[in-house]
Amino acid sequence: MTTAKIQPLLRGLTAALALAPLLAHAEWGNLNLPHGVTPYSETVYELHMLILWVCVITGIGVFGAIFYSIVRFRKSKGAVAAQWHENTFVEFLWTAVPAVILVVMAVPATKALIMMEDVSKSEMTIKVTGLQWRWRYDYIDQGVFLYSGLATTSNLARQLNSGIDPHTVENYLLEVDHELVVPVGRKIRFLTTASDVIHAWWVPALGWKRDAIPGYITESWALIKEPGVYRGQCAELCGKDHGFMPIVVRALPEAEYLVWLDQQKAAQKPKTAAIDQGNQHIAATR
Amino acid sequence: MSETTAHDDAHHGYRAGGVKRWLTTTNHKDIGTLYLVLSLIMFFIGGAMAMIIRLELFQPGLQFIEPQFYNSMTTMHALIMIFGAVMPAWTGFANWLVPMMIGAPDMALPRLNNWSFWILPFAFTLLLSTLFMPGGGPAGGWTMYPPLVLQTGEAFPFLIFAVHLMGASSIAGAINIIATVFNLRAPGMTLMKLPLFVWTWIITAFLLIAAMPVLAGAVTMLLTDKFFGTSFFSAAGGGDPVMFQHIFWFFGHPEVYILILPAFGIASAIIPTFARKPLFGYSSMVYAAASIAFLSFIVWAHHMFTVGMPLAGELFFMYATVLIAIPTGVKVFNWVATMWQGSMTFETPMLFAIAFVVLFTIGGFSGLMLGVTPVDFQYHDTYFVVAHFHYVLVTGSIFAIIAGAYFWLPKWTGHMYDERLGKVHFWLSTISVNVLFFPQHFLGLAGMPRRIPDYAVQFADWNMVSSVGGFVFGASQLLFVVAIIKCARGGVKASAQVWEGAHGLEWTLPSPPPFHSFSAPPDPATIEGGMR
Ligand SMILES: [Cu+2]
C-alpha cells in the first residue's frame, strides 16, 4: 500500500525539480529568473542554470537511489538486510566528487563576482537614496534629481478593502509617479544609500540588488542593452509600506535620454537655483 | 500524558501531585514532557500566524489586515517557531532521551533543568503580550535589523527581554546536556559509541553556548541605542548599522544548525531501525556533524551578501558556504546507503524520516544556490529564500520532530499510537507542504520580494496555490494532536523494544520507562553488542 503511495510522490518531486528548468527554456518566465538586459544579468542567468542543473542531476541520483531502495529492499517482498556499514572507497568518492564539482562551479562564480564589483570606466553616476517609502534619484553632476513613489492608481487600490480589483489596475504595485530615466549602452554607476532605515534597490532585469543603508554609500553598475521599461521593488523590509515602494527604470536611446535630461534641467533650474542661493547665504553668514 | 511517569521508585520519597508536580519537578521525563507540550502549543500559535499570513496572501490586494500588522505577524511567526516550537522541542527530546540513551538515571543538573524550562512560559507571555501594546507587536522582522527595529513601539523592550530569557533558557539547557553526557555515561559507553542523536545534541549544545550570548549582546546594544543614548548601530552617531548584521548572523548561522543538527540525529536513529541495517558510516556522521558546526561559524555573511562587502569578503564567504555542501552531502549519502540492501518497512516514523531526507535535500540544493554570491544578488530577500528555509525548517526540522515523536511515543507512553492516523497525517502533510512551499521557488525567481503583504498580479496564481497548500498543511497538524492524545490515553501495549529493528539502551527499558531511567548501570555487554 505504501509503495503505491510513495512512488508517485518521489516521482513527482523529481519531475518537479527537473521540470522547472525545462519550462524555463520554453520561456515560461513566471517560473524562473529573467535573462535580463545587462551583460551581468545574462551571466547570472547562465550561472543560475548551471547550478540548477547540477542540483537536478544530483537530485535525480539521490532520490533515484532512495526510490529504488524503497521498491527493491522491502521486508514485505522478502528482502533480507545486509549488515555492512562502511566502505572507505565509496565514502572517499562521495566526498571528493562533490568537492570537484564545487571547484568547477566556483570558477564561473568568481568571474561573475569580479565582473559585478568592477565599477571602473563607468560613464555616468546615479545616486539612489531609499527613504520610507520612496526613492530619490540624483543624476550626479547634472543638477537633476527626482523622487519616485508608488503611482496613485496602485496606491488607491492597495488600501485595505479598497473595493478596487488589483487586476484592473495597470502594473499594480509596479508603477511609479516619476520613473528613473537612463540611457542604453552606457555603463551607469549606481551609488546606493538611505536616509532612514535600510532598503534594497532591486530591478531583476539588471541582475542584482543592493542594500541601501544609512551611513553607507555602496557602488554597483549596470549597462542596459535594450531600450524598455524595467520594474522592480524594494527588497529589504523597511516598515509598513515596504511592499509599496516600487522601482521603474525607463531605458531610452542616447538621443532621447539627452532630450529628457534637458527638459528636467530646465524644469528644475528654479529649484536648484533656490538651493544654490540658500547655500551661498549660509556660506556668507558663516 | 500523566500515566507516562506514574511509576515511582520506592527510594525516591515525596513527589507532589497536580500542578505542583509540574512546577517543582526535577525529573528529566516530566521536564521533557513540559518542553514538548510547550513546543506543540507554540507550533500552533506560530502556525495560526502563518495561516493569517497565507490568508492575506491568498489573493492580491489587502482584504484582511493592515500592512503593519502583517509585518508583526511575519516577525512573531518566525520568533515563535524558532525559539518556541523547534528549539524547545529539541530540548524536550534531549531531556527524555539523553539519560536513557547513555544509561544514566536522570540529567546531571535537575534543578537547573526545571528552571531552564520554567523561564520559557514567561518569555513567551512577554513576547506575545506585545501584540496588545500601543504600536503593536514587533514588526521589523525576526532579524531585528536597526534602524528599523528601533521604530518599534512600546513592544521594543519586551521583545529584547523575551529574547534574553529565551537565550538564558537555551544556554542553561545546553550546559545541562553537556554536563550529563560528559559525566553520567554508563561504564562502557565511550564517546564513539554514543547514539548519533546524543552526538548531534552535544555539538548543538556547544553551538548554543557559543552563539546565544552573541545574540544577547547584539540585542542589548539595541536596547542601549534606544534608551541610553549609545550609537552602536546609528550612523548619525558614528555607529554602524551593518555591524548589527555581522553580530546577528554570527549568532544566526550557528542557530540554523542548532535547529537542524538534532534532526540529523533523529534521522540517524530511525532509518537504521526500519531498514534493519546498521547506520552506514557512523564515524563519518560524527565528523560531518562536527565539520558542519565548525563551518557554521565562518559563513555568517552569506546572509548579507547584498550589503556591499569588499570583493575578497564576498569570495571568502561564498567559498566557505558552498563547502558545507560536502559534509551535508556525506550525511545524505550515508542515510541512502543505510537504506540500500536493507529490509525496510514503512511505519509512520520511517515515512517522515524518508520525507525528511528527500525534502531536506531539496532545501540543501536551494541553499547551495543561495551560497553562490553573484546569483544570490538575484535570489536574496525573495520568496526563493522563503522556500529554501521552509524546506530546511519545516520539512527538515519539524518533519524530524514529528518522526521522532511517532518513533518514541510508544516508549514514552507505553502505548502504540494509531498507525492509520499517523499515515494519514503523513500523506496529508507531505503532499500539502510541497504544494505550500514548492511554488514559492517560482515566485522568488519570478521576482516576488519576501515580507510583503500584497503583490503584483503576475504572482497571484502561485500565491493562491501556496495558500491552499498552507491551509491543508495547517489543518493536517490537528491530526498529529489527535494521534498524540490518543496514544497518551491508551492503546495497544508497547513492548520494551517497540520496533523490531530498534537498537540502543532506551529500548532495553520497559515502556514506559521507570521514573529514574537507569538506577543501576546497564550491562556493558548490552552496550557493546546492542549499539550500532
Ligand atoms: Cu524600502
Side-chain angles (χ1 to χ4, degrees):
Chain A
M1 166 181 118
T2 349
T3 346
K5 281 172 177 170
I6 216 163
Q7 284 174 2
L9 169 77
L10 290 175
R11 226 181 278 137
L13 286 172
T14 329
L17 260 181
L19 215 59
L22 289 178
L23 293 173
H25 279 311
E27 295 297 333
W28 287 28
N30 275 352
L31 296 182
N32 203 355
L33 274 187
H35 281 273
V37 289
T38 66
Y40 181 71
S41 70
E42 278 289 344
T43 312
V44 162
Y45 178 82
E46 278 159 24
L47 196 52
H48 158 75
M49 291 314 291
L50 171 74
I51 315 166
L52 184 58
W53 277 114
V54 168
C55 291
V56 168
I57 291 164
T58 317
I60 290 172
V62 173
F63 302 152
I66 295 177
F67 173 60
Y68 182 81
S69 306
I70 289 172
V71 177
R72 178 81 178 65
F73 308 119
R74 303 171 73 82
K75 197 187 175 207
S76 58
K77 287 200 180 153
V80 178
Q83 291 303 310
W84 47 264
H85 52 88
E86 256 163 9
N87 184 325
T88 316
F89 176 69
V90 174
E91 289 179 73
F92 167 77
L93 211 62
W94 68 41
T95 314
V97 171
V100 172
I101 295 173
L102 290 181
V103 171
V104 171
M105 267 168 35
V107 174
T110 305
K111 279 190 192 150
L113 201 53
I114 291 171
M115 172 186 183
M116 180 62 209
E117 298 302 333
D118 179 15
V119 291
S120 64
K121 299 196 189 111
S122 53
E123 293 151 280
M124 64 181 281
T125 300
I126 294 173
K127 187 173 132 204
V128 178
T129 310
L131 49 155
Q132 285 173 323
W133 289 274
R134 54 198 178 136
W135 299 96
R136 175 184 161 131
Y137 301 112
D138 287 89
Y139 291 73
I140 302 291
D141 297 331
Q142 302 295 331
V144 170
F145 71 91
L146 55 97
Y147 284 94
S148 178
L150 185 67
T152 319
T153 45
S154 290
N155 200 27
L156 288 174
R158 67 104 174 172
Q159 303 301 323
L160 185 60
N161 294 317
S162 65
I164 304 169
D165 180 2
H167 290 94
T168 63
V169 179
E170 206 182 345
N171 298 313
Y172 178 61
L173 298 188
L174 294 177
E175 194 72 273
V176 292
D177 48 6
H178 303 287
E179 297 165 338
L180 172 67
V181 179
V182 295
V184 295
R186 270 210 242 174
K187 182 169 181 177
I188 308 165
R189 182 172 70 135
F190 288 92
L191 300 178
T192 320
T193 186
S195 63
D196 37 42
V197 302
I198 303 173
H199 304 261
W201 197 79
W202 182 35
V203 177
L206 304 189
W208 51 268
K209 67 176 66 66
R210 187 47 65 86
D211 290 356
I213 306 166
Y216 273 75
I217 296 178
T218 48
E219 293 180 309
S220 358
W221 66 276
L223 193 157
I224 300 174
K225 290 177 295 185
E226 295 156 34
V229 180
Y230 308 112
R231 297 172 197 277
Q233 282 177 271
C234 176
E236 176 66 49
L237 179 62
C238 60
K240 75 178 167 69
D241 286 350
H242 162 55
F244 309 101
M245 50 184 291
I247 298 153
V248 179
V249 176
R250 181 176 294 273
L252 297 176
E254 182 74 20
E256 288 176 42
Y257 166 73
L258 290 174
V259 171
W260 175 87
L261 192 64
D262 283 339
Q263 285 169 354
Q264 293 298 309
K265 280 181 183 168
Q268 293 193 1
K269 207 158 234 158
K271 263 197 281 181
T272 22
I275 292 167
D276 285 346
Q277 222 169 26
N279 288 343
Q280 277 162 13
H281 177 72
I282 291 164
T285 51
R286 239 184 220 144
Chain B
M1 269 191 244
S2 55
E3 302 97 311
T4 323
T5 48
H7 303 249
D8 201 348
D9 290 348
H11 67 268
H12 184 69
Y14 172 74
R15 265 178 83 205
V19 177
K20 203 171 166 202
R21 165 186 167 193
W22 297 103
L23 282 173
T24 59
T25 181
T26 53
N27 178 273
H28 74 101
K29 301 190 189 71
D30 282 359
I31 296 173
T33 304
L34 285 171
Y35 267 110
L36 290 172
V37 169
L38 175 84
S39 157
L40 195 61
I41 294 170
M42 288 299 146
F43 180 54
F44 278 90
I45 295 178
M49 293 169 177
M51 293 301 105
I52 295 174
I53 292 169
R54 280 320 319 174
L55 187 66
E56 185 51 69
L57 293 175
F58 185 69
Q59 47 180 327
L62 291 178
Q63 292 83 23
F64 300 98
I65 55 175
E66 290 287 357
Q68 180 71 16
F69 184 70
Y70 178 90
N71 288 347
S72 72
M73 282 295 100
T74 56
T75 305
M76 295 286 266
H77 165 71
L79 288 169
I80 295 284
M81 287 303 200
I82 292 168
F83 293 99
V86 178
M87 290 170 74
W90 289 145
T91 320
F93 273 100
N95 259 290
W96 255 105
L97 295 171
V98 167
M100 298 202 292
M101 285 177 162
I102 64 172
D106 203 307
M107 297 291 278
L109 308 166
R111 294 209 171 101
L112 183 72
N113 205 9
N114 173 291
W115 194 54
S116 67
F117 171 77
W118 279 110
I119 291 176
L120 286 179
F122 294 96
F124 290 106
T125 309
L126 214 57
L127 184 63
L128 287 167
S129 69
T130 60
L131 286 171
F132 307 99
M133 289 178 186
W142 83 279
T143 48
M144 298 176 280
Y145 283 4
L148 180 63
V149 75
L150 300 171
Q151 295 181 351
T152 308
E154 298 198 358
F156 182 77
F158 294 87
L159 166 69
I160 303 296
F161 288 134
V163 171
H164 278 150
L165 289 177
M166 295 166 200
S169 161
S170 318
I171 292 169
I175 289 173
N176 206 349
I177 287 158
I178 291 173
T180 307
V181 175
F182 283 102
N183 294 299
L184 298 186
R185 292 198 313 279
M189 179 60 81
T190 58
L191 284 178
M192 288 312 273
K193 284 211 168 65
L194 288 176
L196 264 163
F197 178 73
V198 179
W199 254 118
T200 51
W201 234 116
I202 307 175
I203 295 167
T204 304
F206 279 107
L207 290 182
L208 278 167
I209 290 175
M212 296 309 289
V214 179
L215 175 66
V219 298
T220 307
M221 285 190 266
L222 287 177
L223 193 75
T224 63
D225 268 13
K226 173 98 171 178
F227 294 112
F228 304 111
T230 58
S231 7
F232 290 112
F233 307 128
S234 150
D240 182 350
V242 176
M243 186 173 74
F244 176 86
Q245 300 185 20
H246 282 291
I247 302 173
F248 180 86
W249 288 113
F250 187 81
F251 142 80
H253 201 77
E255 171 69 17
V256 171
Y257 291 99
I258 289 166
L259 299 172
I260 198 69
L261 280 176
F264 293 167
I266 285 187
S268 305
I270 293 176
I271 293 172
T273 300
F274 295 98
R276 292 165 181 76
K277 186 161 160 279
L279 180 70
F280 186 88
Y282 171 90
S283 44
S284 72
M285 282 296 207
V286 174
Y287 299 136
S291 4
I292 290 173
F294 168 75
L295 287 172
S296 78
F297 280 106
I298 55 165
V299 297
W300 75 88
H302 67 213
H303 295 269
M304 39 188 289
F305 279 141
T306 59
V307 297
M309 275 179 287
L311 177 63
E314 287 173 338
L315 287 173
F316 170 79
F317 285 108
M318 171 168 74
Y319 298 149
T321 301
V322 297
L323 219 51
I324 296 184
I326 296 174
T328 313
V330 166
K331 292 201 151 288
V332 173
F333 298 140
N334 283 350
W335 289 319
V336 179
T338 306
M339 290 188 247
W340 195 265
Q341 292 191 354
S343 171
M344 288 200 275
T345 52
F346 301 92
E347 289 84 347
T348 310
M350 182 61 161
L351 291 176
F352 272 105
I354 294 174
F356 161 83
V357 175
V358 173
L359 301 174
F360 171 78
T361 303
I362 293 179
F365 286 145
S366 53
L368 177 69
M369 297 170 79
L370 284 158
V372 179
T373 318
V375 216
D376 179 72
F377 289 158
Q378 286 280 41
Y379 306 143
H380 182 79
D381 263 332
T382 67
Y383 260 81
F384 191 79
V385 179
V386 177
H388 160 69
F389 65 68
H390 282 100
Y391 264 88
V392 291
L393 270 175
V394 179
T395 58
S397 304
I398 289 183
F399 266 40
I401 290 169
I402 297 173
Y406 281 114
F407 188 53
W408 282 293
L409 263 177
K411 170 57 61 188
W412 296 340
T413 63
H415 311 125
M416 297 306 288
Y417 59 86
D418 182 338
E419 187 64 54
R420 237 184 59 166
L421 192 59
K423 285 205 167 108
V424 174
H425 175 217
F426 169 77
W427 286 109
L428 279 175
S429 299
T430 303
I431 294 165
S432 61
V433 86
N434 283 291
V435 176
L436 165 58
F437 293 122
F438 207 84
Q440 296 184 357
H441 292 114
F442 305 145
L443 286 170
L445 293 175
M448 180 169 163
R450 60 189 283 211
R451 292 169 161 172
I452 56 174
D454 192 7
Y455 45 82
V457 291
Q458 69 259 38
F459 306 126
D461 296 342
W462 286 120
N463 267 299
M464 191 175 279
V465 171
S466 178
S467 284
V468 170
F471 301 145
V472 177
F473 182 72
S476 7
Q477 300 323 303
L478 296 171
L479 296 180
F480 184 40
V481 181
V482 175
I484 293 171
I485 292 174
K486 262 184 89 171
C487 181
R489 285 204 168 159
V492 182
K493 284 265 167 276
S495 67
Q497 203 190 354
V498 182
W499 311 109
E500 187 191 25
H503 287 267
L505 286 181
E506 79 267 33
W507 307 109
T508 64
L509 291 170
S511 308
F515 190 67
H516 292 298
S517 300
F518 284 93
S519 313
D523 182 6
T526 324
I527 298 173
E528 199 58 48
M531 312 297 298
R532 317 200 286 172

